[in-house]
C-alpha cells in the first residue's frame, strides 16, 4: 500500500461486472473534510467508481483503502458505522412508511439486543427536519413523488450519522429549487460537522459551484483532478463530454460556468462572440 493521509482512497483499482471492465486502474484520493464531486458522461464509470468506494463492487485489481485497511476485508457493519451511502436507484421494501425507512439508517449502530435509544430517535428526527420530510413520517414511501422519495432516502443516509457520505446523483427527481436546497444542506454538513462528502453529479455547473475537489472521469479512467477553477475549462468539456462550450465566471459564485455551444447559438451569435467572456 502507498502512504496516504486521506482516509478513503483507491490504489490502481479496477472495477467491473463479470468480464466487462468499467474502471481501469484508477488511483484517487478523497480529501478529508471536503466536498468531492465526480463528473463525466453517461457510462464512463463514475457510478461504478462510487460503488467501489462504498464497498458495493469488489475490485478486479488494486484496492480501495478506508482508514488504512482494504475496505472489502472489513466487516459490513463496521464500515457502515463510518461510511454512509445513497445509491442511484434505491428500492424501498413494500409498504414501508417514511419514519421506518429513515430509522433503518440507525441499524449499523444497534446490536442484536439493543433497544431503540434516545440518540437514535434524535438522529432520525433531525435528519427528517433537515430534509423537510418530517411531515411525511406516516406516509407509505411508494406513494410519494420521485422528489419526495429522494429526500427520504437522503434523510436515511443522514440518520446513519457517518462522517463519510457517498451519494450517487442525490439531486435526481428534484426540481431546481430542491436541487439547490439539497446541495446547500450537504455543504452545510461539510462545513458545520466536517463531514466528508463524495457525490456523482451530472450538472457541471452545480458540480463546479459546490465541489472543493473535482474528479472528471472519461472511459473508465480519471481525466483530471483538482479544484474546479483549475481543471474545468473548454478543453476538458470537449475531451470528456464531446461538447463545444465557453467557460466563464459564474456571476454569483465566481466558480466556472459552462455555457454549451450548440447548432443554434444564442440568437445567431457566433462561437467567438459567446466565448468573449471566457475564463
Amino acid at each position: 500500500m502507498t502512504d496516504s493521509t486521506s482516509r478513503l482512497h483507491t490504489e490502481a483499482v479496477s472495477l467491473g461486472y463479470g468480464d466487462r471492465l468499467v474502471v481501469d486502474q484508477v488511483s484517487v484520493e478523497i480529501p478529508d473534510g471536503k466536498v468531492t464531486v465526480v463528473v463525466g458522461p453517461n457510462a464512463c464509470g463514475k457510478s461504478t467508481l462510487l460503488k467501489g468506494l462504498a464497498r458495493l463492487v469488489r475490485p478486479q485489481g488494486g484496492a480501495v483503502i478506508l482508514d488504512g485497511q482494504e475496505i472489502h476485508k472489513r466487516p459490513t457493519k463496521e464500515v457502515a458505522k463510518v461510511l454512509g451511502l445513497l445509491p442511484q436507484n434505491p428500492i424501498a421494501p413494500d409498504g414501508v412508511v417514511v419514519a421506518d425507512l429513515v430509522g433503518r439508517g440507525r441499524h449499523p449502530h444497534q446490536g442484536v439486543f439493543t433497544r431503540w435509544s434516545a440518540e437514535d430517535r434524535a438522529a432520525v428526527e433531525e435528519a427528517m427536519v433537515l430534509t423537510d420530510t418530517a411531515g411525511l413520517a406516516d406516509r407509505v414511501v411508494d406513494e410519494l413523488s420521485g422528489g419526495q422519495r429522494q429526500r427520504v432516502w437522503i434523510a436515511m443516509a443522514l440518520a446513519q450519522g457517518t462522517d463519510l457520505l457517498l451519494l450517487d446523483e442525490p439531486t435526481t427527481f428534484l426540481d431546481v429549487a430542491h436541487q439547490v436546497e439539497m446541495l446547500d444542506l450537504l455543504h452545510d454538513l461539510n462545513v458545520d460537522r466536517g463531514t466528508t462528502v463524495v457525490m456523482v453529479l451530472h450538472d457541471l455547473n452545480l458540480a463546479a459551484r459546490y465541489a472543493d475537489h473535482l474528479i472528471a472521469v472519461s472511459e473508465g479512467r480519471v481525466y483530471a483532478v483538482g479544484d474546479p477553477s483549475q481543471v474545468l475549462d473548454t478543453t476538458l468539456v470537449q475531451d470528456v463530454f464531446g461538447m463545444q462550450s465557453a467557460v466563464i465566471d459564474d456571476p454569483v459564485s465566481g466558480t466556472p460556468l459552462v455555457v454549451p455551444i450548440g447548432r443554434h447559438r444564442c440568437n445567431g451569435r457566433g462561437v467567438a462572440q459567446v466565448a468573449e467572456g471566457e475564463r
Side-chain angles (χ1 to χ4, degrees):
M1 293 182 192
T2 59
D3 292 334
S4 174
T5 58
S6 172
R7 293 186 60 198
L8 182 63
H9 65 278
T10 69
E11 298 180 348
V13 72
S14 294
L15 303 162
Y17 309 95
D19 295 331
R20 183 167 65 94
L21 187 66
V22 178
V23 172
D24 188 11
Q25 298 186 53
V26 165
S27 296
V28 291
E29 297 212 10
I30 304 301
D32 297 334
K34 302 292 184 180
V35 175
T36 294
V37 178
V38 184
V39 298
N42 291 338
C44 71
K46 57 186 184 296
S47 290
T48 299
L49 177 59
L50 193 81
K51 289 177 181 178
L53 290 170
R55 197 178 173 275
L56 293 184
V57 177
R58 184 174 291 276
Q60 297 180 0
V64 177
I65 308 299
L66 174 63
D67 293 332
Q69 296 177 279
E70 290 189 40
I71 195 170
H72 286 85
K73 293 182 179 179
R74 301 180 61 175
T76 301
K77 195 166 186 178
E78 179 184 298
V79 171
K81 289 180 180 179
V82 296
L83 189 152
L85 171 70
L86 175 66
Q88 191 172 49
N89 295 301
I91 299 174
D94 290 340
V96 69
V97 298
V98 168
D100 288 343
L101 183 63
V102 177
R104 295 183 182 212
R106 300 303 300 165
H107 286 184
H109 304 279
Q110 299 170 340
V112 177
F113 302 107
T114 303
R115 293 185 177 182
W116 189 259
S117 68
E119 182 180 358
D120 293 330
R121 189 175 300 107
V124 169
E125 290 176 355
E126 181 182 25
M128 294 178 69
V129 169
L130 287 172
T131 54
D132 193 25
T133 55
L136 305 174
D138 298 323
R139 296 274 302 277
V140 175
V141 174
D142 288 342
E143 297 175 355
L144 303 178
S145 69
Q148 289 172 326
R149 284 198 302 272
Q150 188 72 354
R151 286 187 283 128
V152 169
W153 283 109
I154 292 174
M156 190 188 79
L158 296 184
Q160 199 169 329
T162 63
D163 52 9
L164 274 166
L165 191 56
L166 277 56
L167 307 103
D168 195 352
E169 289 293 337
T171 56
T172 298
F173 303 119
L174 301 180
D175 58 36
V176 174
H178 280 106
Q179 287 182 36
V180 173
E181 182 180 299
M182 192 54 59
L183 293 172
D184 281 344
L185 167 60
L186 295 170
H187 172 78
D188 290 345
L189 284 172
N190 168 254
V191 172
D192 298 340
R193 302 182 183 182
T195 304
T196 299
V197 177
V198 186
M199 53 185 162
V200 170
L201 290 179
H202 271 297
D203 191 312
L204 272 177
N205 293 326
L206 288 177
R209 179 174 290 194
Y210 285 93
D212 300 307
H213 187 70
L214 195 71
I215 299 175
V217 177
S218 177
E219 297 182 344
R221 292 180 176 271
V222 172
Y223 176 92
V225 175
D227 186 293
S229 64
Q230 296 174 343
V231 301
L232 185 52
D233 57 21
T234 56
T235 301
L236 182 148
V237 176
Q238 180 65 56
D239 290 351
V240 174
F241 294 91
M243 181 180 73
Q244 273 194 305
S245 67
V247 180
I248 61 178
D249 289 328
D250 187 315
V252 174
S253 64
T255 54
L257 180 68
V258 178
V259 181
I261 298 173
R263 288 183 297 107
H264 302 286
R265 299 185 181 116
C266 305
N267 296 321
R269 295 174 64 203
V271 174
Q273 290 173 291
V274 172
E276 272 183 10
E278 191 174 327
R279 305 171 73 251

